[in-house]
């Protein structure tokens, strides 16, 4: 069911948008990773996952699960709900478990969609999940014009993977300073991918 829905969604997205991918060679082969991307639209999770192999999981705000059909669709695509602003620590456990089960994780560190296309301040959730799962982080930049509409040119750019071992000394008890450094690293890489594309 997952691969069938993913196949249909990929076809629909390639018809709806003029999608281009860059940096696919940066995606590690045969590994589950954390894709940390800027957030522009509701279409971002399938856009990030279109070009990468394997199964994915991603966080989605709990409001998206109120519609039964849409909830069924996104659950089959690997989504799980998160309660924003409520200190939902259980969602981190779910994310780590999904990674350990063989699904890569798509996460948007900004936490909400950017209305101006710029990369804004990010959260440390991806760093915590990376430290607990010991999985690499692949920064992703999604770039398009002011609005996402029919046949809009969309560029999805994958950066080089970031290994948490370069920042975390003790995976059992990672300290906050190291987590912040890891977060600053992937946020800076995401910003470079987005701004580099915009300047071309």
């Amino acid at each position: 069911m997952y691969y069938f829905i993913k196949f249909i969604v990929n076809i629909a997205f390639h018809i709806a948008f003029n999608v281009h991918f860059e940096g696919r060679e940066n995606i590690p082969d045969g590994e589950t990773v954390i894709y940390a991307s800027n957030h522009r639209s509701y279409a971002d999770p399938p856009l990030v996952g279109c070009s990468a192999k394997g199964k994915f999981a991603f966080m989605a705000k709990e409001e998206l699960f109120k519609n039964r059909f849409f909830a069924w669709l996104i659950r089959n695509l690997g989504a799980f709900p998160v309660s924003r602003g409520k200190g939902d620590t259980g969602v981190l456990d779910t994310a780590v478990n999904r990674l350990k089960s063989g699904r890569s994780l798509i996460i948007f560190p900004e936490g909400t969609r950017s209305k101006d296309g710029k990369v804004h301040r990010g959260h440390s959730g991806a760093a915590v999940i990376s430290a607990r799962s010991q999985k690499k982080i692949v920064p992703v930049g999604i770039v398009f014009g002011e609005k996402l509409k029919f046949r809009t040119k969309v560029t999805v750019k994958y950066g080089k993977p970031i290994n948490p071992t370069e920042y975390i000394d003790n995976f059992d008890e990672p300290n906050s300073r190291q987590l912040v450094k890891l977060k600053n690293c992937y946020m800076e890489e995401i910003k470079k991918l987005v701004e580099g594309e915009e300047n071309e």
Side-chain angles (χ1 to χ4, degrees):
M1 180 64 72
Y2 173 88
Y3 286 111
F4 174 73
I5 295 176
K6 181 180 178 181
F7 175 74
I8 297 300
V9 170
N10 283 355
I11 291 177
F13 269 66
H14 279 86
I15 293 173
F17 311 118
N18 182 14
V19 186
H20 298 268
F21 299 98
E22 297 181 11
R24 295 190 216 193
E25 68 278 3
N26 291 324
I27 301 174
D29 291 328
E31 294 184 39
T32 55
V33 297
I34 300 166
Y35 293 89
S37 173
N38 64 316
H39 200 5
R40 294 294 312 278
S41 73
Y42 287 119
D44 292 343
L47 283 173
V48 174
C50 271
S51 184
K53 297 179 181 179
K55 290 186 176 182
F56 295 87
F58 60 95
M59 300 177 189
K61 60 181 182 180
E62 59 183 354
E63 291 85 355
L64 295 178
F65 292 83
K66 291 182 179 180
N67 180 283
R68 289 186 178 182
F69 173 76
F70 192 68
W72 172 85
L73 177 65
I74 61 177
R75 282 187 188 277
N76 275 283
L77 286 173
F80 56 95
V82 57
S83 302
R84 296 190 301 180
K86 297 181 181 179
D88 190 358
T89 57
V91 74
L92 298 179
D93 296 328
T94 301
V96 172
N97 289 335
R98 295 294 174 92
L99 283 162
K100 291 182 177 179
S101 72
R103 286 180 180 257
S104 290
L105 178 69
I106 298 173
I107 190 169
F108 303 98
E110 293 167 286
T112 188
R113 285 168 291 149
S114 171
K115 295 181 179 180
D116 58 10
K118 296 181 180 180
V119 179
H120 297 278
R121 182 178 179 180
H123 300 285
S124 299
V128 174
I129 296 168
S130 177
R132 290 178 56 181
S133 64
Q134 300 183 36
K135 299 294 184 179
K136 297 175 184 175
I137 299 174
V138 176
V140 183
I142 301 173
V143 180
F144 53 83
E146 292 183 4
K147 293 183 179 180
L148 188 63
K149 50 190 177 181
F150 185 68
R151 298 310 296 167
T152 295
K153 179 182 177 181
V154 182
T155 303
V156 182
K157 196 170 184 180
Y158 302 94
K160 293 183 179 180
I162 301 167
N163 196 326
T165 59
E166 298 178 9
Y167 296 87
I168 309 298
D169 293 332
N170 186 350
F171 285 108
D172 293 326
E173 295 182 7
N175 64 57
S176 58
R177 179 176 54 83
Q178 293 174 340
L179 291 173
V180 168
K181 283 187 176 181
L182 178 55
K183 183 217 37 176
N184 290 341
C185 177
Y186 61 70
M187 291 307 301
E188 184 61 31
E189 291 303 312
I190 293 170
K191 188 175 182 180
K192 287 179 182 178
L193 291 170
V194 172
E195 292 184 350
E197 182 67 24
E198 288 181 337
N199 291 333
E200 291 179 0

